[in-house]
Amino acid sequence: MSGLSELHLDALAEIFSIGAGRAALSLSEIVGDEVHISVPYVQVLNSEDINSATLSLNSGRFGAVSQHFSGPFNAEAVLLFTEEQALKIVSDMMGSQMSLEELAEFEHEAMCELGNIILNACLSAMADILHFTLESSLPHYRVASANEILHRFKDNSDQPYVMLLHIDLVIEKRHTTGNLVFLLSSASLTNLVIHVDQFLGSIA
Amino acid sequence: MNTITTKRFNMEDISNAINIGLIVVDADSKVLLWNNWIAKHSDIQEADALNRLLENAFSEPVSAAFMTALKNTLAYRLPVVLSTALHRTPLPLYNASEANQPQTRMYQSITITPIQSQQDESCCLIQVTDSSTSIKREKMLRSHSEILKKEATTDGLTDINNRRFFDAHYEIAVAEAKRQKHPLSIYMIDIDFFKSYNDYYGHIAGDNAIKLVAGALQSQLSRATDIVARYGGEEFVLVMPHLPQATAEQFAEKLRRAVFNLAIPHINASPFHRLTISIGLCTGIPENDDNLLNKADAALYQAKQKGRNQYISLPLCETHEYLEQ
């Protein structure tokens, strides 16, 4: 239905894995400790089919970093972590110098940076490999409930497609998982398919 | 350019008047713009910075993470943020300080965005904001909240824990002892003949005596797990985990002696004519609805009945109590 075959999805997973590797490298440099990020799989769904199970969202609140990308295709990319995970990641990254509850402002900014690094790395890997350039807005961080997030994804008639990346992030032996969600319009999805096809053609 | 010249002001005036740092670099990271704010906080004038590579424009090195971010923005044309929390001070910028004081390096939040030059080159705009004040504000709020937290749980007269602290701590300590099945000792302590002390020596001396007793009790504690609190007027309570019965009783005697040795004169307290305390101790592994505190209070009552200046220890379990009697 989405026009993306298994082959396309495998190619995208490969591309995003390269991006995740780059993001891990940047994060390692900042944290001064080894960071591993992997993208186990990529899914493309109709936004109506998106639910708490597909996003593995349980109850609770989520930290979401979003950026709007434009270029050959337009997308809103949203990186989701549970709020608790987001806090742990940032506190690990920040070390013990600041306590989180008391330094909310800095935590938000740090979360923005973390999301920015992962989003940019995935998008730039894609741009590199599929040979196009993308522009992007600055990252925005907000905390929302699972319902608010789902509502926003579903309520978006301009962007009927959702590309979903599951992300594994390991910092200093702490293992967390998150989701990177791309909201795509039909035209954007078509253009993405064209670019992936060209790429697959070039390596075939 | 047109849009700028048709405006009734000069964009350069804006960039120099604005209260954030602005730097523009080209694709080779050569400096094209260096606003007054950056000049002021780096102590490097625009003329000295223009056309130099950004990493060489400062007199000190720029952080590696900043250079990586800049390279990424130049290569991929995607905006990057560097947060204060993760970077502190990526650029060698300083806050103007009082004369003859060392300058302090500025905490910074940085945004790097790709822009196009008029020649259609790929450039980067670097915006720097000073987060020192917000860090200071947050730290101040934190220290205020710590002071308030401490005040809320400290007794104003004696500076030891107050009843509010004890109530919360007691509940946690009992739950912990229940879960881990280890013994907990509660000491209820009351100053003997305190009313007559107050009547004879006055309330100021009375307050002073309470302070001295609190200090003497506090000074007997050496483990982080042990707490003493002012329970009420001249009553104190101690909570100590992990003590075997015999050790707990030895400690009660130690407390009694510590106060006795203060040698505070109390003319109306026979036979020693000094200020003394009575102690009720209850030690045991709490189960179900056992109430250590009530038991310790009952023990304190017995210590008073039996002549004061002594401790009475009651076991938590009723049957043991009967056996002892």
Side-chain angles (χ1 to χ4, degrees), chain A residues 7-136:
Chain A
L7 192 61
H8 289 128
L9 291 177
D10 283 351
L12 284 170
E14 192 71 24
I15 288 167
F16 287 121
S17 292
I18 292 168
R22 289 181 188 172
L25 207 64
S26 300
L27 291 177
S28 302
E29 196 180 336
I30 293 167
V31 184
D33 217 308
E34 242 175 276
V35 177
H36 296 280
I37 306 176
S38 56
V39 182
Y41 63 96
V42 176
Q43 279 177 293
V44 175
L45 302 164
N46 276 323
S47 51
E48 300 107 66
D49 297 335
I50 203 156
N51 55 45
S52 47
T54 47
L55 283 176
S56 34
L57 296 180
N58 302 315
S59 56
R61 297 174 68 73
F62 294 83
V65 184
S66 54
Q67 283 178 238
H68 287 270
F69 289 92
S70 57
F73 63 90
N74 299 332
E76 181 185 353
V78 187
L79 183 66
L80 290 175
F81 285 107
T82 65
E83 192 183 21
E84 200 187 335
Q85 281 178 342
L87 290 174
K88 279 180 186 154
I89 296 168
V90 172
S91 82
D92 281 351
M93 290 178 75
M94 284 170 36
S96 55
Q97 297 166 54
M98 294 194 199
S99 109
L100 283 169
E101 294 79 6
E102 284 140 333
L103 295 179
E105 199 177 314
F106 296 100
E107 167 236 312
H108 279 207
E109 207 194 4
M111 206 51 216
C112 236
E113 175 172 357
L114 173 75
N116 178 234
I117 288 170
I118 296 173
L119 293 172
N120 277 3
C122 288
L123 267 294
S124 63
M126 203 162 157
D128 262 1
I129 294 163
L130 302 182
H131 301 293
F132 54 72
T133 49
L134 285 169
E135 285 181 13
S136 165

Side-chain angles (χ1 to χ4, degrees), chain B residues 273-325:
Chain B
H273 304 295
R274 13 170 120 174
L275 206 71
T276 56
I277 53 169
S278 298
I279 303 168
L281 163 63
C282 180
T283 291
I285 302 171
E287 288 168 29
N288 310 323
D289 294 330
D290 297 335
N291 196 326
L292 283 156
L293 199 58
N294 283 347
K295 269 287 159 56
D297 208 35
L300 173 61
Y301 181 76
Q302 289 187 18
K304 292 279 185 191
Q305 294 295 310
K306 289 184 175 165
R308 300 183 169 83
N309 186 35
Q310 61 183 283
Y311 75 84
I312 293 290
S313 170
L314 289 180
L316 184 56
C317 180
E318 298 280 345
T319 48
H320 291 180
E321 198 179 340
Y322 287 126
L323 287 176
E324 260 182 27
Q325 284 172 354

Side-chain angles (χ1 to χ4, degrees), chain B residues 210-275:
Chain B
I210 288 175
K211 272 199 250 184
L212 289 169
V213 170
L217 297 175
Q218 170 100 59
S219 69
Q220 302 305 309
L221 301 181
S222 52
R223 302 183 307 172
T225 49
D226 304 339
I227 66 120
V228 56
R230 188 171 173 205
Y231 193 74
E234 71 273 23
E235 276 192 306
F236 300 91
V237 60
L238 274 79
V239 182
M240 300 179 72
H242 294 294
L243 297 182
Q245 184 76 35
T247 318
E249 289 175 6
Q250 282 161 18
F251 192 78
E253 175 55 21
K254 208 177 152 206
L255 291 171
R256 188 204 61 80
R257 210 179 316 124
V259 173
F260 188 80
N261 288 343
L262 288 172
I264 302 169
H266 188 352
I267 198 102
N268 291 329
S270 296
F272 301 106
H273 304 295
R274 13 170 120 174
L275 206 71

